[in-house]
Amino acid sequence: MAPLSSLRLFVLVLALALIHVRAFSTNSIVHNHRTSNTKKGAIPTARHATSSHQGGSLPPLPDIRAAVIVPGFLTGKDEFVALATSLNNRGIPTVVVPMPNWHWLPCLGGRSMRPMLERIDFTVRHLAGVAGNLGDFERTTAEALEKGLEDALQQPSDKNSQRSDPQLLIPKFSYNLIDCYQDFRNNPGGVLEVGGSAEVDNYPLWNPKGSFPTAPEPMGKVALIGHSAGGWICRAYLSERNYGGKSYGGHQLVHSLITLGSPHGNAPGAAFKGVEWVNNEIMDSSSGVRALAVGGTGYKGDSSGQLTQGAYAFCCELGSDGSQYDGDGVTPIQSALAMKKYMPHADTLVLDDVGHFCWSDVFGGEAVAPDLTKYHQEGRPWYGDETIIEKWAGWLG
């Protein structure tokens, strides 16, 4: 792609991303849930006795009752503040990967998710390291680590006051529009086969832009909560394998993974090359990571609007037109639960009449997904509504 044409495309996509200013609210509904099992495939099992990721193997760490939310495709921190607040109020200190939605631009077209993996790693390491900076409690048990994290969230001027936002414990990192443009041009893979191939294992060595402050030494493991594409990207983060030049080995810092409406099933096209790469290994209980795949139903492909039918067709392994599938309006239920095939110890949860996103709270949602926006306006919930959160967040214990 010529420099001028790539710049024009970048500016156009950036302009579209920047108009998505979202405000979120929660609704109360009644729903049912059930569990589902998926047959295990014949894929080699990953081994986790040693670590090959940069930085070497970590000593065994205790679990911390704290979580990192990973936003879905073309969404950012602001869209998930309400969900984090709800989890905080439930006694689970929670932060969101601190990025605006335009940071996704270099990943458009099914390209490498290294930019997102860097942000996940940055956030996980800082949250896992918070307890190591407190200095006023014993650090030998998980309970002590949780106490330290809770103390860190107290207002310094008044220990009896309400906890401050745990997001403040995560430092800012440096990433500007010039960085984004350079990543947009150079990030490998995708439909244009930037760097020569769409296959993850054939990506050329490349490091995303951005300056990320070094985290303190980790003192415990945290939970990951991935929405939509954020869920399968979390699985890439857990893996020991080399993804586009770096092995993250995030299972050493994560004790639990929850995915919300994430497409875990293989499907045709460059956009699913990353999912296919993740699915090329079995990550079993030896990884030390518990897992829960959550999916919604009630949005039929033949009666929930053009976006839903198109999204289901996009996620379908067999090339269906999407009309015969059920799901949350974006991810068909079969794909949302397919994680169990590759993490056989995972639990699954089906939430009836639960949608993918809070479309009516999104500026421009009616233009993008008019039917889904109408359903949300009428009170049909999504994964981040209060009464829905309590169904899956309780799994964390």
Side-chain angles (χ1 to χ4, degrees):
M1 179 179 290
L4 181 59
S5 60
S6 67
L7 177 59
R8 287 174 175 168
L9 178 59
F10 174 76
V11 171
L12 174 61
V13 176
L14 176 61
L16 292 174
L18 292 179
I19 68 171
H20 289 283
V21 179
R22 300 170 171 90
F24 287 80
S25 63
T26 56
N27 299 307
S28 297
I29 59 97
V30 178
H31 75 288
N32 298 312
H33 63 90
R34 60 183 181 273
T35 58
S36 173
N37 293 321
T38 307
K39 185 178 180 181
K40 177 180 175 180
I43 298 174
T45 301
R47 302 298 180 188
H48 300 282
T50 60
S51 172
S52 61
H53 74 94
Q54 294 176 357
S57 181
L58 294 172
L61 297 171
D63 296 348
I64 300 175
R65 186 176 170 82
V68 173
I69 297 173
V70 180
F73 187 59
L74 291 181
T75 61
K77 176 179 74 70
D78 291 347
E79 288 87 336
F80 290 87
V81 168
L83 175 54
T85 299
S86 180
L87 293 170
N88 287 325
N89 292 338
R90 286 171 165 79
I92 305 173
T94 303
V95 302
V96 188
V97 174
M99 51 171 274
N101 55 8
W102 57 269
H103 282 202
W104 282 96
L105 296 181
C107 303
L108 289 175
R111 291 194 279 173
S112 170
M113 291 297 164
R114 276 288 308 279
M116 297 300 108
L117 290 166
E118 289 296 303
R119 286 153 176 76
I120 294 171
D121 188 51
F122 165 79
T123 311
V124 167
R125 289 184 176 276
H126 275 279
L127 187 60
V130 165
N133 281 338
L134 298 177
D136 61 349
F137 62 101
E138 296 296 327
R139 299 184 180 89
T140 56
T141 66
E143 290 80 8
L145 289 172
E146 290 172 20
K147 175 185 180 299
L149 184 56
E150 291 173 0
D151 287 347
L153 300 182
Q154 299 284 349
Q155 293 288 353
S157 60
D158 184 2
K159 286 289 185 178
N160 295 319
S161 66
Q162 295 239 332
R163 294 172 189 171
S164 62
D165 182 2
Q167 193 74 41
L168 298 176
L169 299 173
I170 308 301
K172 295 180 180 179
F173 62 87
S174 175
Y175 189 77
N176 57 39
L177 290 178
I178 295 176
D179 293 332
C180 186
Y181 173 62
Q182 291 177 338
D183 283 350
F184 182 80
R185 290 196 62 199
N186 299 318
N187 193 21
V191 294
L192 298 179
E193 298 186 356
V194 178
S197 177
E199 300 294 333
V200 174
D201 287 332
N202 294 331
Y203 288 167
L205 295 180
W206 170 79
N207 289 315
K209 298 292 183 179
S211 178
F212 299 87
T214 302
E217 287 298 314
M219 297 298 292
K221 297 182 178 182
V222 302
L224 277 176
I225 300 169
H227 175 256
S228 196
W232 75 258
I233 297 170
C234 285
R235 291 173 55 206
Y237 175 67
L238 299 177
S239 178
E240 293 280 359
R241 293 184 297 150
N242 184 302
Y243 183 101
K246 186 171 181 178
S247 300
Y248 290 88
H251 68 92
Q252 294 187 95
L253 296 170
V254 174
H255 59 72
S256 302
L257 168 65
I258 296 177
T259 65
L260 305 173
S262 298
H264 294 293
N266 292 333
F272 277 83
K273 290 298 183 181
V275 178
E276 181 181 311
W277 182 89
V278 172
N279 289 344
N280 279 336
E281 78 174 314
I282 294 291
M283 181 172 288
D284 60 23
S285 58
S286 69
S287 65
V289 181
R290 301 166 61 227
L292 173 66
V294 182
T297 61
Y299 292 80
K300 304 291 186 180
D302 60 358
S303 59
S304 301
Q306 185 175 2
L307 175 67
T308 294
Q309 183 173 344
Y312 290 175
F314 186 64
C315 294
C316 176
E317 185 173 12
L318 301 178
S320 164
D321 66 359
S323 61
Q324 300 305 309
Y325 286 87
D326 191 6
D328 62 12
V330 173
T331 304
I333 189 63
Q334 294 92 331
S335 187
L337 302 184
M339 182 171 73
K340 187 169 180 64
K341 182 176 181 180
Y342 310 101
M343 299 184 76
H345 64 296
D347 296 318
T348 58
L349 178 65
V350 177
L351 302 172
D352 294 333
D353 197 37
V354 170
H356 191 80
F357 201 55
C358 47
W359 296 97
S360 65
D361 295 330
V362 178
F363 178 78
E366 188 171 358
V368 175
D371 297 273
L372 298 179
T373 300
K374 177 176 178 290
Y375 296 145
H376 188 252
Q377 286 174 333
E378 292 172 348
R380 296 178 71 177
W382 77 293
Y383 300 109
D385 280 348
E386 287 289 343
T387 56
I388 305 303
I389 295 171
E390 68 186 25
K391 297 298 180 181
W392 55 261
W395 176 87
L396 285 172

